[in-house]
Amino acid sequence: MKLLKITIPEPVYKYKNGSKVFALYFGFGNEELLRRDYAATLKQRIAKIIADSFVTEQAVFLPYHDLYCVIFRSNIDKRQLFRLCETLLGEVDTYTEGKLKIFYHFTKCVIVEEGKAPGPFHFAFTGEELCDAYASLPNTFLEHKERRNMHYLADLSDVKWQ
């Protein structure tokens, strides 16, 4: 089974070249509705909250092209992760009044350092780059709901439109 690869410029935390990790990435489909710096700040804060909430899983925030990834070791509780992700992204959806198309996906990947090839045992598992393949993956799109619990990003309630 081929796994997607994430190419990074240097080793991140304890993840070495050829490490198999779980990656949660998310993004906004029509991000141009928000100011560019505001959208980047918003995505970065969400990724850091997710990474800080899963300390024992060695979660690390990884800015990766236009996606924001959080990578984990294998002992992740998916139900708890998806619940937190739905809460955070749902709060953004409430603040933007359902105008943004918000998506996320959880997949297994291989970490590859830039300029290095993965080891011989991991080379057979590497497929295409995650940033090239994420459009064809079955992403989960968030549905707009009228009422959500909001307490993580409360200071961002004044959404900055263009």
Side-chain angles (χ1 to χ4, degrees):
M1 179 173 124
K2 295 275 186 183
L3 300 176
L4 298 172
K5 69 178 179 179
I6 298 176
T7 305
I8 56 173
E10 57 191 34
V12 178
Y13 189 51
K14 294 182 179 180
Y15 299 104
K16 299 177 184 172
N17 189 30
S19 298
K20 293 180 188 173
V21 297
F22 287 104
L24 170 82
Y25 67 86
F26 60 93
F28 305 139
N30 49 354
E31 190 175 304
E32 62 275 356
L33 295 175
L34 295 174
R35 283 194 349 221
R36 187 164 187 78
D37 59 338
Y38 181 71
T41 303
L42 190 62
K43 286 195 261 186
Q44 186 174 7
R45 282 204 45 203
I46 291 170
K48 284 188 178 184
I49 288 172
I50 293 172
D52 291 344
S53 298
F54 293 94
V55 176
T56 58
E57 290 84 358
Q58 298 175 356
V60 175
F61 162 61
L62 183 69
Y64 178 69
H65 296 279
D66 61 336
L67 299 173
Y68 280 71
C69 288
V70 181
I71 56 175
F72 305 92
R73 288 284 181 198
S74 61
N75 58 345
I76 184 76
D77 182 8
K78 293 178 188 175
R79 185 175 31 198
Q80 186 179 5
L81 174 66
F82 294 154
R83 190 178 305 132
L84 178 63
C85 193
E86 289 270 338
T87 303
L88 289 169
L89 296 174
E91 190 172 346
V92 172
D93 182 59
T94 301
Y95 292 148
T96 59
E97 300 164 356
K99 295 178 183 177
L100 287 179
K101 290 175 59 178
I102 301 171
F103 65 89
Y104 66 93
H105 188 70
F106 185 74
T107 186
K108 193 165 187 177
C109 297
V110 175
I111 298 286
V112 177
E113 288 182 41
E114 200 172 82
K116 292 185 179 179
F121 297 114
H122 298 112
F123 187 74
F125 293 112
T126 58
E128 60 183 317
E129 192 73 33
L130 176 63
C131 65
D132 298 333
Y134 84 92
S136 63
L137 292 175
N139 296 323
T140 303
F141 284 91
L142 204 67
E143 293 183 16
H144 179 63
K145 294 182 181 175
E146 289 300 318
R147 181 84 177 126
R148 294 191 188 263
N149 290 339
M150 298 177 286
H151 61 281
Y152 286 100
L153 305 168
D155 58 336
L156 295 175
S157 60
D158 55 336
V159 174
K160 296 169 181 67
W161 301 100
Q162 267 191 349

